[in-house]
Amino acid sequence: MADETIGVVGAGIVGLATAREIALSRPGTRVVVLDKEREVSLHQTGHNSGVVHAGIYYTPGSLKADLCVRGVSLLREYCQERRLPYREIGKLVVAVREDELGRMNDLHERARNNHVPDLRKISREEIRELEPHAGGVAALHSPRTAITDYPAVARAFAQDVVDAGGEVRLGFPVTGITNVPGGIEVASGQERVRVDRLVLCAGLHSDAVARLARDGREPRIIPFRGEYMLLKPERTDLVRGLIYPVPDPRYPFLGVHFTPRVDGSVEVGPNAVLALAREGYTRTRISPRDLLALAAYPGAWRMAARHWRTGIKEYRGSFSTAAFMKDAGLYVPGVGVQDVVRGGAGVRAQALDRDGTLVDDFRIHRLGRVTAVRNAPSPAATASMAIAEHIVGAVFGDPSTP
């Protein structure tokens, strides 16, 4: 109904896109975004690699696949309208061994079913034409895969919310969510905000915030830190576009890859190591509370039992630049420790079910007047505007929204 107030918890790109979609699609509705930080997009959005994914990897018919394809179109148009960076530099998904060709062909079929534009298989010789310094025996070439500046996009979304009469209230850590007659009361200490409906887009803290709204305990968020190297400025000419490995289907992580950024730098990474805090951007950041919660969760132990060998390998790369660059050198032969410096890191909010399964698709729960985004993995930034449409359908009861 008109003249409602809708609250959105979380000023990352998904929360801001959702607030923007509500403000623009529901005239008369007031939107207020609440976030504990003093700036927008400080966590997953602010540490994003900037890749606009074309939809190669995702299971056809999944929410990920559908929202990614829709989201690319919306994001490209938005960036063009706002004169934000958007560069279609292309991506190679490279098979470096003959035994990877079967997985590469399966990926090609999956991408075709997702209608990835202009995708084609290319030979060793064609790889060299596109990327003279790259290795590999064959590859998939996605020329429409792009890069952008997601923090800039998020700031633009926030401005759109304000321009539409909404509010982005920062420095508001949510400590309580209570049903009251006709609405929801959101608390931050002694401060209160009353809304008619509430959307939770809390990222790294999505499970904790959802529990404040009486949602179930699963899935839990397990933080994985992804660390990057940077090619030295004089070596950035080794890479023209995005160079990725053929992913291992057992994991939701894409492996170490080469990523040109809109500022001209080139990242190598990320790895994926278990972070010791929800916001554990460095190895020394440790939260006893987060560790105790992790240790008490059966899903964490079941995950560890399945993937401990991979975990050891990832940690080895975290402490050794030589180990980190070993895999990278398969894709750009000759690149090594002498060509890189340590870069930044991000933390991924990886949802984990009680049976130890890494949740791979979006999870959105409806709880009366509250809609909780429990898992929004990559390509959440790419798909943010399409996710926002989907969430708005859920909030306002679109019967076509699952």
Side-chain angles (χ1 to χ4, degrees):
M1 68 182 73
D3 302 322
E4 282 189 317
T5 297
I6 308 298
V8 177
V9 176
I13 197 167
V14 173
L16 290 168
T18 300
R20 175 186 179 274
E21 180 67 20
I22 295 169
L24 297 181
S25 67
R26 308 285 298 188
T29 299
R30 180 176 177 272
V31 182
V32 55
V33 180
L34 307 168
D35 195 282
K36 69 184 180 68
E37 303 294 354
R38 296 291 177 179
E39 299 176 37
V40 303
S41 72
L42 278 191
H43 292 291
Q44 292 186 103
T45 305
H47 295 83
N48 193 287
S49 65
V51 177
V52 182
H53 292 282
I56 295 172
Y57 306 104
Y58 316 121
T59 302
S62 67
L63 206 50
K64 258 191 177 185
D66 294 344
L67 295 180
C68 182
V69 172
R70 168 74 175 153
V72 170
S73 176
L74 293 171
L75 182 63
R76 183 193 306 114
E77 183 178 343
Y78 184 81
C79 288
Q80 290 170 348
E81 289 177 356
R82 300 307 172 95
R83 299 187 178 181
L84 295 169
Y86 190 95
R87 294 171 50 205
E88 291 184 345
I89 63 172
K91 174 194 284 188
L92 291 180
V93 181
V94 179
V96 295
R97 300 186 308 272
E98 296 288 339
D99 62 6
E100 292 181 322
L101 292 177
R103 279 193 283 136
M104 189 193 81
N105 290 333
D106 291 343
L107 199 62
H108 179 255
E109 185 62 25
R110 174 174 288 196
R112 285 184 57 200
N113 289 333
N114 289 338
H115 308 291
V116 174
D118 304 325
L119 184 79
R120 64 190 182 99
K121 291 190 279 189
I122 63 173
S123 66
R124 185 195 306 264
E125 293 71 29
E126 291 172 300
I127 292 174
R128 305 299 183 274
E129 291 174 9
L130 293 168
E131 292 282 358
H133 301 284
V137 297
L140 300 180
H141 181 221
S142 172
R144 301 288 295 279
T145 298
I147 55 175
T148 189
D149 182 344
Y150 284 117
V153 173
R155 291 191 294 271
F157 287 167
Q159 189 60 53
D160 290 343
V161 171
V162 174
D163 290 345
E167 179 183 3
V168 179
R169 186 177 299 188
L170 303 176
F172 191 99
V174 173
T175 57
I177 297 172
T178 306
N179 286 300
V180 296
I184 302 287
E185 188 175 79
V186 186
S188 180
Q190 298 303 310
E191 194 174 0
R192 301 285 188 273
V193 172
R194 189 195 178 285
V195 298
D196 295 285
R197 310 189 206 202
L198 185 65
V199 182
L200 307 179
C201 301
L204 288 164
H205 302 276
S206 61
D207 54 347
V209 174
R211 287 200 299 273
L212 294 177
R214 312 297 189 274
D215 194 14
R217 300 184 69 82
E218 278 83 35
R220 295 282 187 89
I221 293 299
I222 305 298
F224 279 89
R225 185 173 61 255
E227 300 160 330
Y228 290 91
M229 299 291 176
L230 287 172
L231 286 182
K232 293 178 179 178
E234 64 270 22
R235 300 297 278 165
T236 56
D237 60 354
L238 289 172
V239 176
R240 294 177 177 176
L242 299 151
I243 303 176
Y244 277 60
V246 177
D248 186 330
R250 294 174 297 171
Y251 304 107
F253 311 107
L254 296 178
V256 170
H257 46 269
F258 290 80
T259 307
R261 303 295 301 263
V262 294
D263 64 3
S265 63
V266 177
E267 290 181 332
V268 186
N271 57 2
V273 297
L274 187 66
L276 304 182
R278 297 262 181 155
E279 297 171 15
Y281 297 105
T282 64
R283 290 195 294 266
T284 57
R285 178 71 185 274
I286 299 172
S287 166
R289 179 179 179 180
D290 291 344
L291 281 178
L292 285 172
L294 181 67
Y297 186 48
W301 293 100
R302 290 166 181 151
M303 175 191 70
R306 294 175 190 172
H307 304 305
W308 63 270
R309 289 182 179 86
T310 299
I312 290 173
K313 178 184 175 184
E314 294 292 310
Y315 267 108
R316 188 180 298 124
S318 178
F319 286 91
S320 166
T321 302
F324 189 104
M325 294 301 296
K326 183 179 178 181
D327 285 346
L330 298 174
Y331 300 92
V332 180
V335 72
V337 295
Q338 72 280 1
D339 300 305
V340 297
V341 295
R342 289 243 169 216
V347 179
R348 171 180 176 145
Q350 175 61 55
L352 183 69
D353 277 331
R354 193 175 186 83
D355 65 359
T357 301
L358 298 165
V359 180
D360 190 44
D361 207 355
F362 297 109
R363 291 257 184 106
I364 300 173
H365 296 177
R366 282 188 275 189
L367 318 159
R369 292 175 178 268
V370 178
T371 301
V373 179
R374 294 297 299 262
N375 192 47
S378 178
T382 297
S384 56
M385 298 178 77
I387 296 170
E389 292 179 335
H390 181 84
I391 292 171
V392 170
V395 171
F396 294 99
D398 182 344
S400 66
T401 302

